[in-house]
Amino acid sequence: MSKPTDLQHDLERSLPAIASISTSFSQSQGFSPYCYFSPEKRKAISDVRRTFCLFVTFDLLFISLLWIIELNTKDGIQKNLENEIIKYSFKTSFFDIFVLAFFRFFVLLLAYAIVKLRHWWVIAITTLVSSAFLIVKVILSELLTKGAFGYLLPIVSFVIAWLETWFLDFKVLTQEAEEERWYLAAQAVASRSPLLYPRALSEGQFYSPPESFAGSDNESDEEGAGRNALTAQEKEYVRQGKEAMEVVDQILAQEENWKFEKNNASDFGDVVYTFEIPFHGKTFILKAFLQCSAETVYQEVILQPEKMILWNRTVAACQILQRVEDNTIVSYDVAAGAAGGVISPRDFVNVRRIERRRDRYISSGISTTHSLKPPLSKYVRGENGPGGFVVLKCPSNPRVCTFIWILNTDLK
């Protein structure tokens, strides 16, 4: 069964990625391409880690506020401070709960703000100490006889300590690990070669299939000559790619039947549609206007799928397993997990067919199997129905184009 809600969420998460392509490509037309896709400058401390540090500070301030309120009784703060600190008693004093909050504040900020650790062992210790101390104190002390604050302070301290653990483990560490992976990938790609060139692209710079025209005899003749040396498995890959291309063509031909779902709040008119395909179910379609030439998108996105990780952060890895013939390749993609690991990573093996036409470039694809990538236990093997990328040329302005992303996925 497919999960349309998850698919729509993933596609909506990709809207900023498409906008990023548009902005970056349009800027690259006026600036040196050697700066394009260079690794982004890394902040001294990430936004999510800074939020965690603020939450730890809130922990101390909130516990302090509650303790001060408890001290401000008819006997006065000064008298109660003397009773709780100078004449400290484990059974009746709230002072140790304040000290426990200060202990968490000092250790966690030292570890995660100053030293910038990327492991959970420090917060595991602070949470274990806090939990053990509070449980023992509730059992042995007489705080529950002091009214509401006898219940409130231990419970609040216990809950906040565990919220800090959850936030660090499921938000800070996972998000920073994803940002680190993206940064290293961008650094590796940038160190190998620039993606854009200040001069016109030559035929030898990229693998590029010959121009084809749907339904023409020339297409059949060219491919027939290229398939003579293909194995039975390779011919099957070619067949699957052509079938996926036929479905994509049918989807494009029925644009008036696409159902509007959502548009992006931008000036570029990015829109998400859905369309029901017989035997394949609901398909999501993203249509976006890009301020760059169709040739640029074709060279950077369609011909180099392994660089998808640079503009789509929902993709953790993309690898070309086999180039079958001029128009057909087999690729392996890994979709990153989400929700702090609640949604596990998925992997896909796809056959892709690439065609250059007079008015558009198309990369269609569908799930297949390959001996180099059998299912792995650490990933859930997902399945893609017919879909792909379409780049429509603009006859009146060659510096802009329309990008269409067709997605039909069963996440399993």
Side-chain angles (χ1 to χ4, degrees), residues 7-8 11-13 15 258-264 269-274 283-288 405:
L7 289 181
Q8 184 171 6
L11 201 55
E12 288 169 4
R13 287 173 61 193
L15 285 170
W258 295 357
K259 180 183 176 182
F260 172 82
E261 294 288 341
K262 177 176 178 147
N263 63 337
N264 191 29
D270 305 340
V271 185
V272 175
Y273 301 92
T274 56
T283 296
F284 289 86
I285 304 168
L286 170 63
K287 188 174 183 180
W405 185 351

Side-chain angles (χ1 to χ4, degrees), residues 289-341:
F289 176 79
L290 302 185
Q291 292 184 310
C292 54
S293 68
E295 179 70 18
T296 299
V297 181
Y298 170 66
Q299 297 285 1
E300 300 296 338
V301 176
I302 292 181
L303 292 188
Q304 302 183 86
E306 66 271 27
K307 292 178 180 176
M308 190 185 301
I309 57 175
L310 296 177
W311 58 268
N312 186 357
R313 293 197 181 188
T314 65
V315 177
C318 186
Q319 173 189 1
I320 295 178
L321 299 179
Q322 181 180 355
R323 294 193 184 276
V324 180
E325 43 94 61
D326 285 344
N327 295 82
T328 309
I329 62 175
V330 180
S331 67
Y332 175 71
D333 310 322
V334 178

Side-chain angles (χ1 to χ4, degrees), residues 109-263:
L109 287 191
L110 176 64
Y112 297 111
I114 299 176
V115 181
K116 298 183 179 67
L117 290 181
R118 295 197 172 196
H119 201 276
W120 48 261
W121 67 268
V122 173
I123 199 167
I125 293 175
T126 60
T127 304
L128 178 63
V129 170
S130 298
S131 300
F133 180 86
L134 290 169
I135 291 173
V136 172
K137 188 170 182 68
V138 169
I139 294 173
L140 300 181
S141 71
E142 301 173 356
L143 294 180
L144 301 184
T145 62
K146 289 195 168 186
F149 280 97
Y151 296 90
L152 187 61
L153 270 172
I155 291 175
V156 169
S157 184
F158 184 88
V159 170
I160 290 181
W162 280 98
L163 284 176
E164 289 168 347
T165 304
W166 173 85
F167 191 83
L168 181 81
D169 196 27
F170 284 88
K171 294 294 183 181
V172 179
L173 298 183
T174 54
Q175 184 170 322
E176 288 187 343
E178 171 66 16
E179 290 176 355
E180 177 73 9
R181 180 204 61 78
W182 186 90
Y183 177 83
L184 293 176
Q187 196 173 43
V189 171
S191 65
R192 286 198 297 269
S193 62
L195 298 186
L196 299 178
Y197 294 80
R199 59 189 181 281
L201 293 167
S202 68
E203 290 295 329
Q205 282 177 320
F206 296 100
Y207 158 80
S208 182
E211 186 170 6
S212 60
F213 308 101
S216 69
D217 293 335
N218 291 339
E219 180 185 6
S220 300
D221 294 340
E222 291 174 2
E223 290 189 357
R227 284 201 301 267
N228 290 335
L230 299 182
T231 65
Q233 180 60 67
E234 289 171 338
K235 290 180 180 179
E236 177 63 16
Y237 288 144
V238 173
R239 184 192 66 80
Q240 291 174 344
K242 293 186 71 173
E243 286 186 355
M245 184 65 70
E246 290 174 1
V247 175
V248 169
D249 283 333
Q250 292 171 9
I251 293 173
L252 295 175
Q254 300 184 60
E255 183 172 357
E256 66 276 5
N257 296 324
W258 295 357
K259 180 183 176 182
F260 172 82
E261 294 288 341
K262 177 176 178 147
N263 63 337

